[in-house]
Amino acid sequence: MESRCLISYILTVLLALSLSLSQSLVLAKTSPCKFPAIFNFGDSNSDTGGLSAVFGQARPPHGESYFRRPVGRYCDGRLIVDFIAESFGLQYLSAYLDSVGSNFTHGANFATAGSTIRPQNTTLRQSGFSPISLDVQWNEFYDFHNRSQTTRQKGGVFRSLLPKAEDFSSALYTFDIGQNDLTAGYFLNMTTSEVRAYIPDVLNQFKNVVKYIYGQGGRYFWIHNTGPFGCLPYVLDRLPLTPAQIDKAGCAIPFNEVARFFNYGLKEVVVQLRKELPLAAITYVDVYSAKYAIISQPKKHGFKETLRACCGHGGKYNYNRNIGCGGKIKVHGKEILIGKPCNDPSVWVNWDGVHYSQAANKAIFDQIVGGSLSDPPIPLEMACHRTKAHS
């Protein structure tokens, strides 16, 4: 019986290797994709200025490591979406909501920090979650798609700041959203069972938006799964845990299990979408594994600090949600900066207790760009080619 199981296992492995090799040979004969534009949907993991345009600019020291000033990103520098744009030789994405100095020639970013897939029945001030949920981002894209072309026809400066009509069907559509849908439930004191129960509805709403974009001509989709939010200071600091619920890396086991449950469902949604959208090339990207790798094996990836915030104040994780990165207090009528950044963000995984540092974003990008964590296992530069997925 054992020998039969061993033979079966060997055959399965050989089949997987054969499929991977055949895909590699096919891709070797095809040209890399030349995406003229990127349209991004998401939350703070990929927000390049949306929330800042509406609710006020992300304050210093955000942006200090690369831009030398705040530029709408909740990070000390670049995000994964910035590295994606760089890899195709495109300029960084302007936020759709930012009316000052924006250039949409090579795409637009509809993400805002705090966004969820499902609309939240609270305000930003009450809960910290953005009113610009994924359905709103879709509406923004739909409006942008139509109005950008009628405006571009006026010529002049409009022609140089807006994408061509044909770019919408040749663009890469990127998604990085879902984490806030999970933490929202926990912050409302829901149990893990209650959070898991609403995940199918969240995923169904995500699926609908992808289908809507396909209906508008979108064909190439790069979809990130959600990360191990049980490793983030703002979660570890706020939600109660027992010692038995902490893994060897210092992360919260129950929350990461919910993230993996969400990701399993998301992958199933991608499988369904491939059947329903025959002309689409959809890549599912396992950023969860990339993020957990740099947290659980920091030295291998060049990091020294994994769970503490580089920029923050106080507590076990150098995080205080009432003060935050760049936070100040008044002492005898004088403002004193206490939410200070660390000396070398490049060796810290976490930037401000909620978001990853530029160095971490680059390490994550380096892991996903080659396709080893994707399904199908194709490099980012080949994401316009439809190949057989593992699912």
Side-chain angles (χ1 to χ4, degrees):
M1 183 67 178
E2 289 183 359
S3 61
R4 288 182 181 178
C5 290
L6 179 60
I7 292 171
S8 177
Y9 173 76
I10 292 172
L11 289 173
T12 301
V13 171
L14 288 173
L15 178 60
L17 289 172
S18 175
L19 287 171
S20 180
L21 179 60
S22 63
Q23 287 176 349
S24 298
L25 290 172
V26 169
L27 290 173
K29 298 177 182 179
T30 55
S31 300
C33 309
K34 294 182 179 179
F35 297 112
I38 297 172
F39 295 102
N40 182 70
F41 303 80
D43 52 31
S44 57
N45 288 314
S46 60
D47 180 4
T48 57
L51 194 77
S52 288
V54 180
F55 292 100
Q57 189 64 236
R59 61 193 174 191
H62 291 301
E64 67 169 19
S65 294
Y66 185 79
F67 302 101
R68 308 303 178 196
R69 61 185 176 85
V71 287
R73 293 157 175 78
Y74 293 88
C75 178
D76 62 308
R78 290 164 290 180
L79 309 176
I80 296 172
V81 71
D82 292 318
F83 293 115
I84 290 176
E86 281 184 7
S87 73
F88 292 112
L90 301 177
Q91 63 187 16
Y92 300 136
L93 297 183
S94 292
Y96 168 79
L97 293 172
D98 191 355
S99 60
V100 180
S102 291
N103 186 332
F104 300 113
T105 310
H106 300 293
N109 193 349
F110 303 93
T112 67
S115 286
T116 53
I117 295 172
R118 279 203 319 182
Q120 300 296 304
N121 294 320
T122 61
T123 67
L124 180 73
R125 303 302 181 197
Q126 290 173 323
S127 66
F129 295 110
S130 169
I132 316 297
S133 49
L134 187 59
D135 61 320
V136 177
Q137 294 181 31
W138 147 249
N139 287 329
E140 292 172 343
F141 168 76
Y142 180 83
D143 190 55
F144 177 80
H145 188 184
N146 295 325
R147 293 182 62 210
S148 65
Q149 297 314 295
T150 56
T151 303
R152 194 174 188 276
Q153 290 172 7
K154 296 178 181 179
V157 67
F158 300 112
R159 184 173 292 276
S160 64
L161 294 177
L162 294 168
K164 300 174 184 176
E166 59 267 26
D167 289 348
F168 286 90
S169 59
S170 302
L172 181 66
Y173 291 82
T174 55
F175 294 82
D176 194 326
I177 193 168
Q179 176 180 304
N180 291 326
D181 290 272
L182 306 181
T183 58
Y186 284 113
F187 292 164
L188 289 173
N189 296 317
M190 289 186 180
T191 65
T192 292
S193 296
E194 289 172 326
V195 173
R196 288 169 67 108
Y198 67 66
I199 287 176
D201 179 52
V202 172
L203 292 171
N204 187 59
Q205 293 190 37
F206 177 85
K207 179 182 178 183
N208 287 339
V209 169
V210 174
K211 291 172 72 173
Y212 296 156
I213 294 171
Y214 180 87
Q216 286 288 298
R219 291 296 179 264
Y220 311 119
F221 300 89
W222 182 264
I223 299 173
H224 291 183
N225 67 10
T226 202
F229 69 91
C231 300
L232 300 177
Y234 84 109
V235 172
L236 292 167
D237 178 75
R238 183 169 175 176
L239 300 173
L241 294 159
T242 65
Q245 292 176 312
I246 303 295
D247 68 13
K248 292 180 180 179
C251 302
I253 296 171
F255 305 140
N256 284 350
E257 285 180 345
V258 168
R260 289 195 295 271
F261 178 78
F262 174 91
N263 291 340
Y264 176 82
L266 179 62
K267 194 170 185 180
E268 289 299 306
V269 164
V270 169
V271 172
Q272 295 166 15
L273 285 169
R274 289 191 184 114
K275 294 176 181 177
E276 296 175 24
L277 313 177
L279 299 179
I282 308 175
T283 308
Y284 170 91
V285 188
D286 184 14
V287 296
Y288 179 102
S289 292
K291 290 178 176 179
Y292 192 75
I294 63 175
I295 293 169
S296 60
Q297 299 174 294
K299 290 183 180 180
K300 178 181 176 182
H301 298 276
F303 295 98
K304 294 180 180 178
E305 287 282 353
T306 56
L307 301 180
R308 295 175 65 236
C310 163
C311 184
H313 172 73
K316 180 179 179 180
Y317 301 104
N318 194 38
Y319 173 77
N320 183 328
R321 68 184 175 121
N322 296 314
I323 298 175
C325 179
K328 299 177 180 180
I329 60 171
K330 278 193 175 182
V331 178
H332 304 302
K334 184 179 180 181
E335 282 194 334
I336 306 295
L337 174 67
I338 60 172
K340 299 179 181 180
C342 58
N343 292 328
D344 186 6
S346 70
V347 294
W348 291 62
V349 169
N350 196 282
W351 166 239
D352 60 358
V354 184
H355 310 101
Y356 290 82
S357 67
Q358 172 180 258
N361 287 329
K362 181 60 165 63
I364 295 161
F365 173 77
D366 288 343
Q367 290 181 78
I368 65 174
V369 67
S372 62
L373 294 178
S374 297
D375 182 37
I378 59 173
L380 172 62
E381 66 175 3
M382 295 294 185
C384 62
H385 300 292
R386 290 187 296 277
T387 61
K388 185 175 177 58
H390 279 167
S391 0

